[in-house]
Amino acid sequence: MRWVMYTLIVITIALQGQLWLADDGYRKTRNLSLAVAEQRQQNEALRERNAALDAEVLNLKNGRAAAEERARTDLGMIGKNETFFQVVPAKDITRH
């Protein structure tokens, strides 16, 4: 009966060793859990970015003012009844 007890102890130690030390044991499970949590954070950030882009697309589709503003800021376009003034910094005349 004593050898059965020793056998069970050895098997238990071997299984615990596999659980804690093997490549597909506890460490891998913990690392995968951390990776899933990180991916969820990235997904949430991307969802927020996509929502902002969707709102911008809808605004550009439905409103002329948004399209004009975008053309002015990104493309440097000027409206028909507008005058463009370019301000050039003066040269420093104190330098020789």
Side-chain angles (χ1 to χ4, degrees):
M1 189 69 175
R2 196 169 265 224
W3 64 274
V4 173
M5 187 74 115
Y6 290 133
T7 305
L8 289 175
I9 290 173
V10 168
I11 291 174
T12 302
I13 290 173
L15 290 175
Q16 284 293 317
Q18 265 190 324
L19 174 68
W20 292 99
L21 303 175
D23 289 336
D24 59 346
Y26 176 74
R27 277 187 277 166
K28 184 175 182 179
T29 303
R30 187 189 63 196
N31 291 340
L32 287 174
S33 296
L34 293 173
V36 167
E38 183 179 333
Q39 188 64 50
R40 284 189 176 141
Q41 288 176 345
Q42 290 175 358
N43 288 348
E44 185 58 34
L46 291 174
R47 269 191 210 95
E48 290 173 6
R49 185 196 70 174
N50 287 345
L53 289 174
D54 284 341
E56 186 175 347
V57 166
L58 285 174
N59 195 9
L60 288 172
K61 283 182 180 180
N62 296 330
R64 182 181 168 129
E68 286 179 4
E69 178 186 345
R70 187 78 170 207
R72 281 188 182 91
T73 57
D74 292 349
L75 304 174
M77 299 180 90
I78 304 167
K80 287 183 180 180
N81 297 329
E82 295 177 342
T83 305
F84 176 72
F85 294 96
Q86 183 175 5
V87 178
V88 180
K91 290 184 180 180
D92 190 9
I93 57 175
T94 59
R95 292 178 101 185
H96 292 51

